[in-house]
Amino acid sequence: MEEQENQIPEYQKSSKKPSNGPMKPGLVALCVICGMIMFLGFWYILFSQFFGNLFSAVSGMDSNAYMESGVYGDTIDVFYVEGTIAEGSTTYQHTWTLNQIDHLMESESNKGIILYVNSPGGGIYESDELYLKIKEYKETTGRPVYAYMAQTAASGGLYVSMAADEIYANRMTMTGSIGVIMSTTDTTGLQELIGIKEENITSGPNKAMGNPLTDEQRAILQSMVDESYDIFVEIIAENRNLDDNKVREIADGRIYSARQAKELGLIDEIASYEETVQNFIDTYKLEDCTIYHQRPPLSALEELLLSVETDLESSKVTESFTAIHNYIEANKSPKIMYYMGH
């Protein structure tokens, strides 16, 4: 018995569990830093909302962003329509833009809008929604809207510009591409190669269209493209005072230089961005206004999270199978776009 007792490890003879030792200094520091960030973030949000609402109530300014930028008094607000015009775009925030324009309609300090367009186009829905929102702003407020075309203002970029009172373009601008595109990818060969088979149980022969398209399905989609094209032509003819047939002659999808676009009546002037802004100020006598650049807010924490997310996504796409799977998923359903073809 004495021998067996001697074989029992020392820590089992005690009722106390073995200690893992003191917490590492690095872990303690990390916990303290995380706690401080959460504490400061809470009070920042609380105070910014309180003082932002108080400032808005007293001065009639539109948002916390004006106060944070030190902007007081009347403003000319510049909106940036950059990249693909679509919900979820990394360069253009559609819902935020619409909401900001709604906000400016109720503002007495806003005196006009300049659209800075640098876009190859985007979804027909988002392009039309932004176009209609700008028209609503003009009709509701009676205030002017200018559009400035930067490097590219094609297809949907041209579409939204049609709502402006005046359209200016840089001399190197690429515009035009008037038309509609619907892209779908036949991935059946690729799926067979990697051993993927898709089974669809549908209520009708055209419920699961595409992959590949039948002649009937192609005709159905073509009718939708034609309808969106007709709307595009009507908008250009109406806003640029052009004959419908003349617009259809030039609306074959080709791109135009700024000089060509002016000769065709698609734009008003060729000028730099600075000249466009100055002309806007001079025309409407807005010398006392501050130029305010409307940019979607992004906190430091959001930037950090976005950076981490981007790094994670970058590592994932290096896996070949994941990349192939994502490509198939993204192209299963056709999308109708006012977008410059490629």
Side-chain angles (χ1 to χ4, degrees):
M1 292 294 292
E2 291 182 2
E3 262 183 45
Q4 290 179 355
E5 187 176 336
N6 291 335
Q7 292 176 359
I8 299 174
E10 288 297 324
Y11 73 85
Q12 290 186 4
K13 293 180 181 179
S14 173
S15 59
K16 295 182 179 180
K17 293 183 179 180
S19 172
N20 292 326
M23 187 179 290
K24 295 181 179 180
L27 185 58
V28 173
L30 180 61
C31 292
V32 171
I33 292 172
C34 290
M36 290 178 62
I37 291 174
M38 293 177 65
F39 178 80
L40 294 174
F42 170 78
W43 286 106
Y44 171 78
I45 293 171
L46 185 64
F47 277 100
S48 64
Q49 288 181 343
F50 174 77
F51 287 109
N53 292 336
L54 178 63
F55 182 81
S56 296
V58 174
S59 66
M61 295 298 281
D62 299 312
S63 67
N64 293 338
Y66 286 106
M67 181 179 66
E68 293 169 0
S69 301
V71 175
Y72 301 90
D74 295 338
T75 63
I76 298 169
D77 291 75
V78 182
F79 283 90
Y80 292 83
V81 184
E82 298 181 292
T84 303
I85 304 171
E87 192 65 71
S89 171
T90 56
T91 52
Y92 164 77
Q93 294 190 20
H94 183 63
T95 300
W96 179 88
T97 302
L98 299 181
N99 289 340
Q100 286 299 102
I101 295 175
D102 277 333
H103 201 65
L104 292 185
M105 283 191 240
E106 301 174 359
S107 167
E108 295 183 359
S109 60
N110 166 260
K111 300 303 178 184
I113 287 176
I114 295 176
L115 293 174
Y116 184 99
V117 183
N118 188 15
S119 169
I124 61 170
Y125 180 84
E126 291 88 349
S127 298
D128 189 58
E129 195 170 33
L130 179 56
Y131 165 82
L132 292 174
K133 182 59 66 177
I134 298 166
K135 297 285 281 188
E136 180 187 354
Y137 166 86
K138 289 169 53 179
E139 293 168 3
T140 301
T141 65
R143 301 169 196 158
V145 175
Y146 270 25
Y148 172 76
M149 295 179 169
Q151 182 179 8
T152 303
S155 205
L158 175 65
Y159 190 106
V160 300
S161 299
M162 289 295 112
D165 298 295
E166 296 279 333
I167 302 175
Y168 285 63
N170 185 278
R171 65 181 183 177
M172 294 301 181
T173 295
M174 183 168 57
T175 186
S177 189
I178 305 167
V180 188
I181 183 171
M182 175 184 285
S183 298
T184 182
T185 303
D186 182 358
T187 61
T188 51
L190 179 60
Q191 290 178 9
E192 290 175 3
L193 181 64
I194 60 178
I196 296 178
K197 183 179 181 181
E198 184 179 273
E199 294 285 355
N200 291 312
I201 300 172
T202 66
S203 57
N206 295 314
K207 179 60 179 175
M209 287 199 289
N211 215 19
L213 288 171
T214 66
D215 291 340
E216 181 183 10
Q217 292 167 356
R218 190 179 298 277
I220 291 171
L221 297 179
Q222 184 65 56
S223 68
M224 297 176 66
V225 167
D226 292 342
E227 183 176 327
S228 298
Y229 173 78
D230 289 339
I231 293 173
F232 201 161
V233 169
E234 290 169 6
I235 281 177
I236 293 176
E238 174 187 346
N239 289 281
R240 302 303 301 174
N241 295 317
L242 297 173
D243 179 72
D244 185 274
N245 292 327
K246 176 62 178 177
V247 175
R248 290 181 185 276
E249 287 180 14
I250 63 176
D252 60 359
R254 76 181 67 185
I255 58 174
Y256 295 106
S257 68
R259 182 174 297 177
Q260 292 170 337
K262 184 179 180 182
E263 291 173 353
L264 294 171
L266 295 175
I267 68 171
D268 294 290
E269 296 293 341
I270 298 173
S272 67
Y273 170 71
E274 291 76 15
E275 290 169 337
T276 301
V277 172
Q278 191 59 53
N279 182 273
F280 188 88
I281 292 171
D282 294 342
T283 301
Y284 297 98
K285 297 178 171 55
L286 300 175
E287 293 81 3
D288 296 330
C289 289
T290 300
I291 304 297
Y292 182 76
H293 301 274
Q294 289 279 358
R295 294 284 194 182
L298 191 65
S299 68
L301 180 59
E302 287 173 323
E303 288 180 350
L304 177 62
L305 293 175
L306 182 63
S307 175
V308 172
E309 182 181 353
T310 301
D311 290 340
L312 289 174
E313 288 299 321
S314 297
S315 65
K316 288 180 181 178
V317 296
T318 59
E319 302 175 15
S320 58
F321 185 81
T322 303
I324 293 171
H325 178 267
N326 291 343
Y327 181 79
I328 293 173
E329 287 297 313
N331 290 279
K332 281 203 298 190
S333 302
K335 300 177 180 67
I336 307 179
M337 308 280 282
Y338 289 135
Y339 203 79
M340 185 169 62
H342 54 80

